[in-house]
């Protein structure tokens, strides 16, 4: 509740970078903000839940 006192808007997102991840199930590209890669993502195409960091080769 208290964290919705004002809309964050686009300005506050400047510190976040956009990350494109591919769904391991269907190959759908999904756009995330960098702070969303620490949690599971649901593919908008096939509804598969996956961990975006697991698909990175490093
Ligand atoms: Zn998918």
């Amino acid at each position: 509740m208290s964290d919705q006192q004002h809309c964050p808007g686009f300005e506050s997102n400047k510190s976040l970078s956009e990350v494109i991840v591919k769904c391991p199930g269907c190959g759908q590209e999904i756009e995330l903000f960098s702070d969303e890669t620490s949690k599971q993502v649901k593919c908008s195409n096939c509804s598969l839940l996956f961990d975006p960091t697991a698909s990175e080769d490093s």
Side-chain angles (χ1 to χ4, degrees), residues 27-55:
Q28 171 77 28
E29 290 187 340
I30 301 166
E31 195 171 287
L32 303 175
F33 289 115
S34 55
D35 71 336
E36 295 178 306
T37 59
S38 58
K39 59 193 178 191
Q40 286 195 314
V41 177
K42 186 178 183 181
C43 175
S44 58
N45 188 50
C46 70
S47 300
L48 179 74
L49 269 176
F50 66 97
D51 180 353
T53 59
S55 61

Side-chain angles (χ1 to χ4, degrees), residues 1-27:
M1 287 192 234
S2 57
D3 60 0
Q4 291 191 352
Q5 287 176 337
H6 57 264
C7 180
F10 291 107
E11 297 247 338
S12 63
N13 287 336
K14 281 182 178 175
S15 60
L16 298 176
S17 55
E18 290 180 9
V19 180
I20 303 290
V21 296
K22 271 197 175 183
C23 171
C26 69

